[in-house]
Amino acid sequence: MAIKKPRAARRTDALSKERIVEAAIEILDSDGEGALTFRTLAARLATGSGAIYWHVANKDDLLAAATNDVIARVMADVPGGTRPREAIRTLALGLFDAIDAHPWVGTQLSRAPWLAAIPQIFEGFGSRLEGLGVPEGAQFDATSALVIHVLGVAGQNAANARLLHAHRTDRTAFLGEIAQQWAQLDPARYPFVRRVAARLPEHDDREQFLAGIDLILGGIEAAHPAPSPRA
């Protein structure tokens, strides 16, 4: 009489889209986008692929849901009642930290501008600029400048993560090699690049990102100064 092989354990609790997205984020963080398949996700959740397809249509739908989830948590972390300028800086740093922790989010934001995450980011910045007194006719351009800065850093962070992984090295060592190349450039053609080369390996990406936000906000406030309070 043949001996039956034991079946793999299956989930007994109801599978939700939230749990699927949570598991997808875990895979993306640990192994990258290439490792995220419905087969690996089903194994992680101890379920069948069909149960997952009930909640998400395909991998693109799953990546969009995971990205939207990460961004939604950042938006929710800005305390209510925070002054508009500080709220913008808090939101910007929250986005930077989230993208730094989840480089695949940067790839998705740069690759798919129609994601629900993009309107969330526009709303987060735009509503605070209105609170700063920026006139309605200038709000779209001002908000776009902030979003473009965030998305630019998002894309660069994602690219940097892929480069470091490909070179199997750390950030300081990789930037150190680039700094050496910069220092050897023609001084007549690249005087500025040669001067700043030594700062490249140890510069703080987070501080540099926030400096960009402050420069943009400074330009917005200079172009649209708040009205002086009446005596």
Side-chain angles (χ1 to χ4, degrees):
M1 179 173 156
I3 300 175
K4 293 184 179 179
K5 294 182 180 180
R7 293 184 178 180
R10 290 295 181 98
R11 297 178 62 92
T12 56
D13 56 326
L15 187 65
S16 66
K17 184 173 182 178
E18 290 75 16
R19 178 63 192 120
I20 292 170
V21 169
E22 180 185 341
I25 290 173
E26 292 170 359
I27 294 171
L28 288 163
D29 287 348
S30 61
D31 302 311
E33 184 179 330
L36 180 62
T37 66
F38 275 52
R39 177 175 294 181
T40 58
L41 188 57
R44 175 71 64 98
L45 293 166
T47 189
S49 297
I52 298 174
Y53 280 113
W54 180 262
H55 295 281
V56 289
N58 50 47
K59 184 174 178 178
D60 287 341
D61 187 27
L62 182 57
L63 285 166
T67 302
N68 295 338
D69 182 78
V70 170
I71 297 304
R73 280 184 267 139
V74 174
M75 311 305 293
D77 279 344
V78 181
T82 306
R83 297 171 69 91
R85 194 181 201 281
E86 190 56 36
I88 290 172
R89 295 175 90 253
T90 300
L91 175 57
L93 280 178
L95 290 167
F96 179 91
D97 290 340
I99 293 163
D100 189 53
H102 313 283
W104 52 272
V105 170
T107 302
Q108 290 304 305
L109 291 175
S110 300
R111 179 191 296 166
W114 58 85
L115 289 175
I118 301 298
Q120 291 183 69
I121 296 172
F122 261 91
E123 185 66 29
F125 285 132
S127 60
R128 270 78 181 209
L129 286 174
E130 186 174 7
L132 276 179
V134 177
E136 184 175 350
Q139 288 172 13
F140 178 68
D141 287 344
T143 302
S144 295
L146 289 164
V147 174
I148 289 168
H149 181 62
V150 169
L151 297 187
V153 171
Q156 190 61 57
N157 277 3
N160 289 345
R162 289 194 297 270
L163 278 174
L164 293 178
H165 179 74
H167 286 78
R168 299 181 182 277
T169 185
D170 63 27
R171 173 184 179 277
T172 301
F174 182 74
L175 292 180
E177 293 178 7
I178 297 176
Q180 289 179 2
Q181 296 172 16
W182 284 16
Q184 295 169 8
L185 293 171
D186 182 351
R189 294 184 61 189
Y190 300 99
F192 171 76
V193 174
R194 283 170 56 91
R195 286 200 305 272
V196 301
R199 299 184 59 186
L200 185 61
E202 301 296 340
H203 79 277
D204 188 310
D205 290 334
R206 197 171 187 267
E207 290 181 1
Q208 195 172 68
F209 169 78
L210 188 57
I213 292 293
D214 287 338
L215 285 169
I216 295 170
L217 284 174
I220 292 171
E221 290 170 330
H224 308 286
S228 301
R230 296 182 179 179

